[in-house]
Amino acid sequence: MGQFLLGAYLNHPNKIRRGIELVNLTLGYERRPAVHHLSGAISPGMALAVCGPNGAGKSTLLKALAGLLRPIGGRIDYGSGDPRAIAYLPQLIEIDRSFPIDVKDFIALGALRRIGLFGGLTAREYDSVEQAIQRVGLSGLERRPIATLSGGQMQRVLFARLIMQDEPVILLDEPFGAIDEATTEHLLSLIAHWCAEGRIVITVLHDLELARRVFAQTLLLARHCIAWGPTQEVLTTENLQKARAMSEAYDSDARECLLDEAIVHDH
Amino acid sequence: MKRSFMITDIFITPFIEYEFMRRALVGSIALAISGAPLGVFLILRRMSLAGDALSHAILPGAAVGYLIAGLSLPAMTIGGLIAGLIIAFATGLAARFTTLREDASLAAFYLVSLSLGVTLVSMRGSNIDLLHILFGSVVGLDNPGLSMLVGVSTFTLVCLALFYRAFVVDTLDPIFLRQITRISEIVPFLFLTLVVLNLVAGFHALGTLMAVGLIMLPAAAARLWSFQLVVALPLAAAFAVFSAYVGLVFSNETGAPTGPAIILVAGICYFVSLFFGRAGGILRLRRPRSHLEG
């Protein structure tokens, strides 16, 4: 399984060997920061879980990594890679589920960045659509309109589109929100496979058990970085309490941050 | 024998005998073929009322053209086009850079635009002129008018074919479109431009208020018959062509104004679909087809 995709990938070794570096990154909306002075590096093949309380800036971070939000301060360094070579699955799926399109056509959209808006779907791309459908276990549903799918099936469709996108960096924002266990396990195996292929997979998670079980690295975020490193060392009771306290401590009328160029110190 | 003679009398002879009927038929079919698929996209984008709003927004432009050059087609067309595009772009920009959503901005802009238009027309014209602008006259199509309708129709169909995928993705999953292409920002504007073009082309033939009917009603009817876009788009065009033809025949027989006659036929198509449509009609709820295995 997945040999095809791995094969396709080995043809572009450069695409895969690149990390992402966050340099003193500050993100937010309307001057109000949601993520403060975050620095760190993500290396190829890393499965990174991003955990933290609500409003910690997890989704904001993903949006910025996907290039949909310009940083207020600092920068994201994509190395020599193409900053657009990123597959992003947003949390509030802004997909119109009533749109008249079937599973196969929807998944084929994943090829768009390669073939362009005006190019045709080659026979090879068509084959990989079939394989992606098999990989996520949706064989037989190719011609079903997406409006008739269950939540879990739709999430599988979205993962199949990620497979089709075939990007070296994959960003997932709470992909297991309302998904049953079997589907979650299935999709987790895909994530593991992606990492084995050398891709970066960054996943926002609420389920800490899941993070402990599957993700080697975890970033615990509460607007500031509480801890970033091997999951077992990050998700300690002490750190989690710190994160909770931190997110509650923020008052509504924050003053201008003077910390701009300084390095973040421990709070 | 006599009976069939009478039928051709009603349905075919007028188009053979009168040139203005042939022009009207060609013009309204051109508009039907390009407008109705746009209507399907408007419905899918949850912008059904945007077409209506934009058709009102065109009025002041047409009025300015009228004030400058009298009842001249090019002047009123260019005026309408400019006004429609300004409103469409201003709405898009306001939606992007302010906290107001697109529908609120559009409502605000078109209301101002419409009142401005009516004021301008009443400053210098009579009510008859206003009626002409509002309800048009497809049987009065001259050569430039016909060329414009056919030209707009051709341009729209070419754009729809070229940017079909962009329009689909922008409607279905706009965030995804932003990730895969740099032109994602212009796709909604291109779409609105096509809508405005069709409305302006239609306003001379059907009037500003009626042009939007030929765009929306067949599209709504077609959506009730198919879950597949590749079926709904040509089906909408077919409904629109049917409405244009039957409307013209009806208007010719009864002396009813052409614009409203065409839209009424389209309305009948819609109501029939509302009941019998296989993909969302009312009767579908009463007698569900036997369920499938597994």
Side-chain angles (χ1 to χ4, degrees):
Chain A
M1 259 205 327
Q3 286 303 312
F4 170 81
L5 287 169
L6 187 56
Y9 237 86
L10 293 175
N11 296 333
H12 317 278
N14 294 334
K15 209 171 154 190
I16 211 154
R17 254 186 257 116
R18 66 173 247 226
I20 299 176
E21 206 183 341
L22 312 181
V23 185
N24 197 24
L25 184 68
T26 296
L27 306 166
Y29 309 91
E30 318 240 341
R31 288 186 73 208
R32 185 157 301 230
V35 174
H36 258 290
H37 307 287
L38 182 64
S39 292
I42 307 153
S43 50
M46 184 191 277
L48 176 69
V50 181
C51 300
N54 285 329
K58 308 184 293 289
S59 299
T60 309
L61 175 62
L62 248 58
K63 232 183 261 178
L65 284 168
L68 298 173
L69 183 74
R70 196 181 303 192
I72 297 179
R75 64 195 164 84
I76 302 169
D77 194 350
Y78 295 97
S80 56
D82 177 4
R84 299 175 69 85
I86 287 174
Y88 168 56
L89 189 60
Q91 171 192 15
L92 297 170
I93 306 166
E94 295 198 25
I95 293 167
D96 179 6
R97 287 277 300 277
S98 67
F99 193 94
I101 187 169
D102 63 33
V103 167
K104 196 169 185 177
D105 286 351
F106 186 93
I107 293 172
L109 291 178
L112 272 190
R113 219 174 76 86
R114 280 189 302 280
I115 64 174
L117 277 175
F118 308 107
L121 207 60
T122 61
R124 197 155 147 246
E125 298 281 9
Y126 216 68
D127 282 347
S128 36
V129 174
E130 295 281 2
Q131 299 205 7
I133 290 173
Q134 272 175 24
R135 291 275 284 131
V136 297
L138 286 176
S139 302
L141 298 184
E142 285 89 347
R143 287 299 166 206
R144 281 270 292 276
I146 59 167
T148 64
L149 298 179
S150 71
Q153 285 170 332
M154 189 63 205
Q155 201 67 354
R156 284 171 191 255
V157 168
L158 290 169
F159 266 68
R161 191 174 71 176
L162 292 173
I163 294 176
M164 275 306 288
Q165 285 181 264
D166 192 23
E167 301 289 8
V169 179
I170 297 166
L171 309 172
L172 308 168
D173 201 343
E174 290 196 38
F176 310 120
I179 306 297
D180 70 16
E181 227 165 282
T183 307
T184 303
E185 289 305 320
H186 193 135
L187 299 182
L188 280 172
S189 74
L190 277 174
I191 293 179
H193 183 81
W194 282 331
C195 292
E197 286 175 329
R199 296 171 211 256
I200 292 175
V201 183
I202 304 175
T203 311
V204 170
L205 278 179
H206 264 306
D207 186 342
L208 299 181
E209 277 316 305
L210 218 58
R212 287 198 182 96
R213 196 154 54 83
V214 183
F215 291 83
Q217 297 263 322
T218 295
L219 161 64
L220 184 58
L221 199 63
R223 304 236 215 163
H224 291 91
C225 169
I226 303 288
W228 186 344
T231 302
Q232 294 305 336
E233 294 167 29
V234 169
L235 294 181
T236 59
T237 322
E238 193 190 344
N239 278 339
L240 289 171
Q241 267 171 358
K242 218 195 262 179
R244 205 168 306 138
M246 199 126 188
S247 70
E248 283 161 4
Y250 277 98
D251 58 309
S252 50
D253 43 8
R255 275 165 297 165
E256 202 163 316
C257 178
L258 301 173
L259 209 67
D260 230 0
E261 295 305 317
I263 300 158
V264 155
H265 44 76
D266 283 323
H267 282 257
Chain B
M1 211 44 200
K2 198 173 179 211
R3 190 181 172 81
S4 76
F5 174 73
M6 274 176 60
I7 286 175
T8 53
D9 224 20
I10 293 175
F11 288 100
I12 295 170
T13 316
F15 298 101
I16 295 173
E17 281 185 1
Y18 304 111
E19 200 198 345
F20 72 86
M21 284 296 280
R22 285 200 293 278
R23 285 169 180 277
L25 187 66
V26 171
S28 48
I29 284 179
L31 190 64
I33 290 176
S34 66
L38 286 179
V40 174
F41 275 107
L42 277 171
I43 290 175
L44 290 173
R45 298 172 81 96
R46 307 243 189 317
M47 287 172 67
S48 303
L49 293 173
D52 207 22
L54 279 175
S55 73
H56 289 72
I58 287 167
L59 195 62
V64 169
Y66 167 73
L67 285 182
I68 293 172
L71 270 177
S72 127
L73 176 69
M76 288 168 66
T77 302
I78 292 169
L81 196 59
I82 291 170
L85 289 178
I86 288 176
I87 301 297
F89 278 68
T91 301
L93 291 176
R96 222 176 121 59
F97 296 112
T98 71
T99 52
L100 274 188
R101 287 220 181 205
E102 196 162 39
D103 57 338
S105 303
L106 187 58
F109 280 117
Y110 102 75
L111 286 168
V112 173
S113 186
L114 177 64
S115 47
L116 191 65
V118 173
T119 311
L120 284 174
V121 171
S122 64
M123 266 164 63
R124 214 190 94 182
S126 66
N127 282 338
I128 295 165
D129 294 331
L130 185 60
L131 271 181
H132 183 86
I133 293 177
L134 290 179
F135 298 110
S137 163
V138 74
V139 289
L141 269 185
D142 52 4
N143 272 339
L146 193 59
S147 308
M148 190 182 72
L149 269 177
V150 176
V152 164
S153 176
T154 308
F155 178 73
T156 305
L157 288 176
V158 169
C159 281
L160 267 179
L162 272 177
F163 291 93
Y164 175 74
R165 219 181 258 161
F167 290 148
V168 165
V169 179
D170 189 46
T171 310
L172 170 67
D173 190 354
I175 290 187
F176 185 66
L177 188 70
R178 278 178 74 183
Q179 288 172 258
I180 57 165
T181 173
R182 279 168 227 275
I183 67 158
S184 64
E185 301 279 317
I186 67 156
V187 171
F189 288 116
L190 176 67
F191 177 72
L192 282 178
T193 303
L194 290 181
V195 174
V196 170
L197 266 177
N198 275 267
L199 287 171
V200 170
F203 102 79
H204 186 64
L206 298 169
T208 48
L209 297 186
M210 291 294 154
V212 71
L214 198 57
I215 292 177
M216 295 311 303
L217 283 169
R223 270 295 279 143
L224 289 163
W225 286 99
S226 177
F227 286 118
Q228 282 177 296
L229 201 52
V230 284
V231 179
L233 293 175
L235 189 62
F239 277 137
V241 169
F242 174 79
S243 308
Y245 171 70
V246 176
L248 279 175
V249 168
F250 176 76
S251 159
N252 184 55
E253 278 297 303
T254 61
T258 46
I262 291 173
I263 306 308
L264 275 177
V265 176
I268 292 168
C269 287
Y270 170 68
F271 285 121
V272 169
S273 308
L274 207 53
F275 279 95
F276 299 103
R278 284 170 51 100
I282 292 168
L283 290 189
R284 164 199 63 121
L285 298 174
R286 288 201 41 163
R287 256 188 313 151
R289 285 183 292 165
S290 57
H291 65 266
L292 303 172
E293 213 175 291

